[in-house]
């Protein structure tokens, strides 16, 4: 699993030199030494390693357990039925598992700022790193004002007064979180993640109590709704084919509920002991997210029938949640406000995570001269402040929520990269597949990797096929009779030609080539790992072994 000893073959091997186009911006960095390093001296010196294991695990949890879990499960139940929704989320969970393990193996070897974007440049093609990097930056930068707009809708669950003031407050707070010491950001996200986890555990327990007849005056529900209206729902078509389409629709939509888990290694250069912490986070975050989602889907399917009309509510606040529907049916009145409050923190947390992801990937692009060098400027406490200022400026687009027409235009721009999650997952898997091919070509044993598994080369291929299939069928409804919708088509498919255009354009402009398997700097990365060993983690003892969240 983890391997930190230097094999004899590694001692005799020489590092593969790597051409790095990098010049100092405001710091004294030795370009000659940096040209033979995987982790740039600039990110090593200018960024602060302040994120610990509990931070990165909970940051990833906070990103993955978002508004989709609390508000969108009703739509999944209505579209696929209780069993269709459960199977859809379970199968996507398996794909997420493959993505997380692939990301962990590559990130442990190449713990760089920008994560899979920089990995693509090292392992596949610099043009792919450019295309995917800017795709992620575009999507995350526009997601910040989108999340602020969503937060405004949640505030309006209680009051519709002073919308411009609320937007201003959210922008200011988001900027402050982004510009302060990254350790403070980690603590804030740690608290948000705890709130979400406590809410998930609470609503699961509440659901079980309601289902088993524990509420006075309410009879036991059990699995009655699995019998009537039934375990599956026919979607668009009728019969078995319609039930399959309902299941498939849930599965393609479930991808975006898991979006964010891939950000766990974006801030690798700001993480303590990244070669140990990032793989552990990848493994543990996947397990926790999968359990929370599957239990939530199961409970919702037991509590609410798939033909309940309240599931069709698109208000965007707590009234949309199927858990609120279940609590209302049981006569529990306090639940809507509690869920709305925690979902509000979810929207804020998602905004913070988009800020972290966007700014660090933009910083990583600037390191490789795929973005203007001004974005390399950092504060004395290690924050790329120019990246944060740009993101804050774009966050002011949230004021477009004050006009219905402007908001429609804004969401069209946001939908341009709606398929970006699947693009990112595909790149992560391609990176991993290429890494193992290069290791075989260079005669490097899998056991030399800091984190490795015998089965991941096979699961990465299967998951890549699934991601491509999801990507191509994400908007299948528009091709059925009478269901054409411009916005759905754009959000499902336009990102594909945009990424291909950026890839082809940069490739022609810079005349980049696909990296030869012999030239991928695996031995160099292994040498760096052994030359800069991380302190092994002490064995967990006593009460700490009971910590199932970040231990």
């Amino acid at each position: 699993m983890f391997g930190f000893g230097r094999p004899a073959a590694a001692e005799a091997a020489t590092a593969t030199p790597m051409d790095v186009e990098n010049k100092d911006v405001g710091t004294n960095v030795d370009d000659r030494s940096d040209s033979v390093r995987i982790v740039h001296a600039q990110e090593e010196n200018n960024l602060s390693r302040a994120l610990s294991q509990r931070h990165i695990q909970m940051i990833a949890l906070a990103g993955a357990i978002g508004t989709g879990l609390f508000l969108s499960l009703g739509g999944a139940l209505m579209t696929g039925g209780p069993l269709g929704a459960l199977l859809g989320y379970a199968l996507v969970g398996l794909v997420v598992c493959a993505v997380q393990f692939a990301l962990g193996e590559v990130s442990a070897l190449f713990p760089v700022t920008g994560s899979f974007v920089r990995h693509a440049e090292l392992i596949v093609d610099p043009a792919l790193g450019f295309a995917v990097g800017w795709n992620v930056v575009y999507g995350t930068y526009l997601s910040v004002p989108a999340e602020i707009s969503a937060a405004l809708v949640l505030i309006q669950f209680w009051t519709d007064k002073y919308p411009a003031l609320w937007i201003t407050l959210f922008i200011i707070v988001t900027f402050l979180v982004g510009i302060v010491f990254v350790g403070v950001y980690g603590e804030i996200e740690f608290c948000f993640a705890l709130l979400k986890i406590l809410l998930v555990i609470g609503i699961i327990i509440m659901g079980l109590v309601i289902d088993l007849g524990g509420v006075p005056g309410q009879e036991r529900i059990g699995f009655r709704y699995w019998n009537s209206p039934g375990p599956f729902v026919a979607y668009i078509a009728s019969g078995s084919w319609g039930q399959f389409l309902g299941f498939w629709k849930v599965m393609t939509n479930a991808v975006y509920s898991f979006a964010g888990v891939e950000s766990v290694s974006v801030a690798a250069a700001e993480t303590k002991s990244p070669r140990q912490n990032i793989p552990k986070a990848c493994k543990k975050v996947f397990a926790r997210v999968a359990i929370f989602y599957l239990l939530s889907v199961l409970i919702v399917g037991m509590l609410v029938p798939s033909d309940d009309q309240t599931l069709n509510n698109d208000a965007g606040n707590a009234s949309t949640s199927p858990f609120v529907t279940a609590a209302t049916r049981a006569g529990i009145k306090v639940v809507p406000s509690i869920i709305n409050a925690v979902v509000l923190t979810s929207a804020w947390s998602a905004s913070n995570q988009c800020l972290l992801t966007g700014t660090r990937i933009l910083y990583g692009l600037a390191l490789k001269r795929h973005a203007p060098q001004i974005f390399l400027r950092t504060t004395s406490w290690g924050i790329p402040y120019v990246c944060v200022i740009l993101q804050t400026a774009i966050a002011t687009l949230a004021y477009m929520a004050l006009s219905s027409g402007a908001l429609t235009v804004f969401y069209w721009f946001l939908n341009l990269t709606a398929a970006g999650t699947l693009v990112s997952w595909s790149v992560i898997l391609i990176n991993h597949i290429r890494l193992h091919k290069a290791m075989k070509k260079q005669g490097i044993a899998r056991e030399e990797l800091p984190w490795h598994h015998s089965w991941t080369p096979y699961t990465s291929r299967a998951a890549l096929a699934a991601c491509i299939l999801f990507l191509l069928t994400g908007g299948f409804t528009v091709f059925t009779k009478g269901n054409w919708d411009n916005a759905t088509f754009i959000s499902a498919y336009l990102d594909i030609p945009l990424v291909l255009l950026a890839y082809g354009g940069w490739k022609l402009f810079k005349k980049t080539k696909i990296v030869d398997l012999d030239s991928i700097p695996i031995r160099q990365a292994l040498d760096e790992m052994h030359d800069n060993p991380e302190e092994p983690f002490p064995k967990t003892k006593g009460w700490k072994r009971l910590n199932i969240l970040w231990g």
Side-chain angles (χ1 to χ4, degrees):
M1 298 290 286
F2 287 96
F4 291 98
R6 181 194 281 266
E11 294 285 0
T14 55
T16 303
M18 189 176 83
D19 182 23
V20 177
E21 293 182 356
N22 179 45
K23 292 185 179 179
D24 176 45
V25 178
T27 57
N28 294 321
V29 177
D30 187 344
D31 289 335
R32 290 175 298 175
S33 65
D34 208 33
S35 66
V36 294
R37 295 186 61 180
I38 300 296
V39 180
H40 282 243
Q42 198 153 344
E43 58 186 317
E44 191 73 58
N45 296 335
N46 294 352
L47 302 179
S48 176
R49 291 195 182 276
L51 297 176
S52 65
Q53 182 189 117
R54 67 182 179 92
H55 288 138
I56 62 170
Q57 286 194 37
M58 298 298 269
I59 286 171
L61 272 174
I65 302 175
T67 55
L69 175 64
F70 301 118
L71 304 184
S72 302
L73 290 187
L77 179 62
M78 185 175 62
T79 302
L83 183 55
L86 185 62
L87 290 175
Y89 273 85
L91 290 175
V92 173
L94 292 176
V95 174
V96 173
C97 175
V99 171
Q100 285 294 90
F101 276 76
L103 179 62
E105 288 191 7
V106 181
S107 296
L109 182 64
F110 300 116
V112 293
T113 299
S115 184
F116 58 90
V117 173
R118 295 269 299 281
H119 300 159
E121 179 187 351
L122 287 169
I123 300 172
V124 186
D125 188 334
L128 182 62
F130 170 85
V132 176
W134 277 106
N135 189 62
V136 174
V137 168
Y138 178 93
T140 53
Y141 270 51
L142 281 184
S143 291
V144 172
E147 294 294 347
I148 292 174
S149 300
L152 178 63
V153 173
L154 293 164
I155 289 286
Q156 291 172 342
F157 179 76
W158 297 299
T159 177
D160 57 359
K161 293 181 179 179
Y162 315 117
L165 177 61
W166 289 114
I167 291 174
T168 304
L169 287 175
F170 278 118
I171 291 174
I172 292 172
V173 171
T174 300
F175 169 75
L176 291 176
V177 171
I179 203 68
V180 297
F181 183 58
V182 71
V184 176
Y185 167 87
E187 294 297 342
I188 292 172
E189 287 301 293
F190 179 83
C191 294
F192 281 162
L194 277 181
L195 281 175
K196 294 180 186 181
I197 291 168
L198 290 174
L199 177 61
V200 172
I201 294 172
I203 58 180
I204 288 173
I205 293 173
M206 177 196 74
L208 286 173
V209 171
I210 294 173
D211 185 75
L212 297 174
V215 178
Q218 299 292 321
E219 62 179 348
R220 183 179 181 276
I221 300 173
F223 283 87
R224 70 173 62 176
Y225 298 133
W226 287 52
N227 294 319
S228 177
F232 292 97
V233 170
Y235 179 70
I236 296 179
S238 58
S240 299
W241 176 242
Q243 292 176 348
F244 172 78
L245 291 180
F247 153 75
W248 194 264
K249 180 65 174 177
V250 168
M251 193 158 54
T252 54
N253 286 344
V255 168
Y256 303 103
S257 295
F258 287 98
V261 293
E262 71 277 3
S263 65
V264 66
S265 65
V266 164
E270 295 166 272
T271 303
K272 300 174 183 176
S273 302
R275 290 188 170 94
Q276 297 176 79
N277 276 324
I278 289 175
K280 284 190 175 183
C282 288
K283 179 174 65 175
K284 294 182 178 181
V285 166
F286 153 72
R288 288 152 180 72
V289 169
I291 290 171
F292 286 143
Y293 267 98
L294 293 182
L295 282 177
S296 298
V297 173
L298 177 62
I299 295 297
V300 165
M302 292 163 62
L303 294 177
V304 184
S306 57
D307 58 358
D308 192 308
Q309 291 305 306
T310 59
L311 298 176
N312 203 26
N313 183 359
D314 60 353
N317 54 39
S319 62
T320 307
S321 174
F323 297 106
V324 170
T325 300
T328 303
R329 283 169 164 261
I332 304 174
K333 297 181 179 180
V334 72
V335 169
S337 287
I338 294 175
I339 290 181
N340 199 71
V342 177
V343 172
L344 179 59
T345 68
S346 294
W348 184 19
S349 173
S351 173
N352 291 342
Q353 191 188 47
C354 288
L355 186 145
L356 179 75
T357 302
T359 54
R360 271 42 175 195
I361 287 184
L362 182 56
Y363 180 88
L365 288 171
L367 275 175
K368 301 304 298 178
R369 294 191 172 275
H370 292 168
Q373 300 294 281
I374 191 174
F375 293 118
L376 289 177
R377 295 183 178 178
T378 59
T379 63
S380 59
W381 55 91
I383 298 296
Y385 68 90
V386 179
C387 299
V388 174
I389 290 172
L390 175 63
Q391 183 128 4
T392 304
I394 293 175
T396 59
L397 292 174
Y399 289 109
M400 297 175 76
L402 302 177
S403 167
S404 58
L407 186 62
T408 300
V409 173
F410 169 66
Y411 277 112
W412 270 71
F413 280 111
L414 181 63
N415 284 340
L416 291 178
T417 57
T421 297
L422 284 170
V423 172
S424 296
W425 290 2
S426 298
V427 170
I428 290 169
L429 295 164
I430 291 171
N431 291 341
H432 184 253
I433 292 169
R434 288 268 300 172
L435 174 66
H436 278 271
K437 283 186 174 180
M439 290 177 65
K440 187 175 181 180
K441 184 78 177 291
Q442 297 177 27
I444 299 174
R446 182 170 55 237
E447 289 72 23
E448 292 191 49
L449 292 177
W451 198 53
H452 59 86
H453 304 83
S454 59
W455 43 268
T456 50
Y458 309 104
T459 55
S460 288
R461 286 173 169 80
L464 178 59
C467 285
I468 293 173
L469 188 59
F470 293 158
L471 196 58
L472 296 178
T473 60
F476 75 89
T477 56
V478 300
F479 301 111
T480 59
K481 187 175 180 180
N483 290 303
W484 177 263
D485 181 70
N486 290 334
T488 301
F489 178 82
I490 287 173
S491 64
Y493 296 115
L494 191 58
D495 198 38
I496 301 173
L498 286 178
V499 172
L500 292 176
L501 185 63
Y503 173 72
W506 192 256
K507 194 171 183 64
L508 289 174
F509 178 64
K510 287 292 186 178
K511 295 181 173 57
T512 67
K513 296 180 180 180
I514 295 176
V515 180
D516 186 74
L517 293 177
D518 287 320
S519 301
I520 296 175
I522 301 173
R523 179 59 64 197
Q524 178 185 347
L526 292 171
D527 286 342
E528 283 190 22
M529 180 183 75
H530 296 300
D531 291 339
N532 302 278
E534 296 177 356
E535 189 76 24
F537 290 151
K539 190 174 182 180
T540 304
K541 298 179 180 179
W543 289 102
K544 292 183 178 180
R545 288 181 293 181
L546 299 178
N547 182 359
I548 62 172
L549 294 180
W550 65 87

